């Protein structure tokens, strides 16, 4: 989520989550990590128009974040 905030996509993804089914909402609210190969991640990326290379970049950005 920090990576999404850093690249300006957090609001878009949160809107996509709000429009998604209940399982996606549960995962978004409670998952401690997100896997690049997850079908849920693929669906959210598609919902906001994020293509594969940009999604890969997002996960690389996330890997560099320390909190």
């Amino acid at each position: 989520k920090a990576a999404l905030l850093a690249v300006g996509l957090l609001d878009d993804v949160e809107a996509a989550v709000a429009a998604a089914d209940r399982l996606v909402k549960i995962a978004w609210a409670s998952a401690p990590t997100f896997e690049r190969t997850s079908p849920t991640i693929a669906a959210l990326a598609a919902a906001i128009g994020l293509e594969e290379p940009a999604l890969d970049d997002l996960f690389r950005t996330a890997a560099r974040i320390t909190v």
Side-chain angles (χ1 to χ4, degrees):
K1 292 178 185 178
L4 291 167
L5 179 63
V7 300
L9 292 174
L10 185 57
D11 290 341
D12 294 338
V13 172
E14 288 183 338
V17 169
D21 64 32
R22 192 170 186 193
L23 182 58
V24 171
K25 290 174 184 164
I26 291 168
W28 180 254
S30 62
T33 61
F34 296 93
E35 299 293 327
R36 167 64 181 87
T37 58
S38 163
T40 300
I41 294 299
L44 289 173
I48 65 166
L50 195 65
E51 296 183 2
E52 294 290 321
L55 185 56
D56 290 338
D57 288 344
L58 178 64
F59 271 79
R60 280 190 283 273
T61 296
R64 292 189 301 268
I65 294 173
T66 58
V67 288

